[in-house]
Amino acid sequence: MKYSDSQLFQTGFRRTLRFYMTAPAPCPYLEGRRERKAFTSLSISDSDGVHSMLSQAGFRRSQGIAYRPACPNCNACRSVRISVRDFKRTKRWRRILNRNRSVVARPVAPEASREQFQL
């Protein structure tokens, strides 16, 4: 289920969550633009449930903070979710897979390496 901003507040989380806005800062994605983020702390009871609802509303998580872009007149870096059930592999996706055939995924020990930093 996907939650809208208004649905989040109707669920009763408005009493436990406080949302804040960052000051404008240089955008890390688009040169010459400024970014702002809306964020909240997940240091509350039922943080897993809250994070689940917030992620459905486009929030991302970093440590104990949930945030999302809140730039006026811009949505270039909004997260996009694709329904796996409705996904169709087109010629375009086959070309992408063929182009990235050399990429190999494998489990590794949880240790930082030069290769991981380069990625």
Side-chain angles (χ1 to χ4, degrees), residues 8-99:
L8 279 174
F9 292 109
Q10 292 169 10
T11 61
F13 286 124
R14 69 173 165 242
R15 288 184 218 114
T16 56
L17 290 179
R18 292 185 185 250
F19 289 86
Y20 303 93
M21 188 75 75
T22 63
C27 177
Y29 302 107
L30 300 171
E31 193 174 325
R33 296 260 183 111
R34 311 273 297 160
E35 74 162 349
R36 294 190 79 179
K37 289 185 176 108
F39 68 95
T40 187
S41 173
L42 293 174
S43 301
I44 58 172
S45 63
D46 190 31
S47 62
D48 288 341
V50 172
H51 175 255
S52 180
M53 289 185 77
L54 289 172
S55 67
Q56 291 295 318
F59 280 76
R60 302 166 191 164
R61 181 178 190 160
S62 179
Q63 306 286 330
I65 302 289
Y67 68 94
R68 77 171 182 187
C71 308
N73 305 317
C74 181
N75 64 0
C77 61
R78 302 274 174 173
S79 59
V80 177
R81 297 186 181 271
I82 297 171
S83 170
V84 174
R85 216 175 299 129
D86 299 332
F87 178 78
K88 303 258 188 297
R89 189 180 287 188
T90 61
K91 281 184 180 180
R92 176 178 180 236
W93 288 109
R94 285 192 292 273
R95 283 193 302 268
I96 290 169
L97 287 172
N98 285 333
R99 227 179 283 144

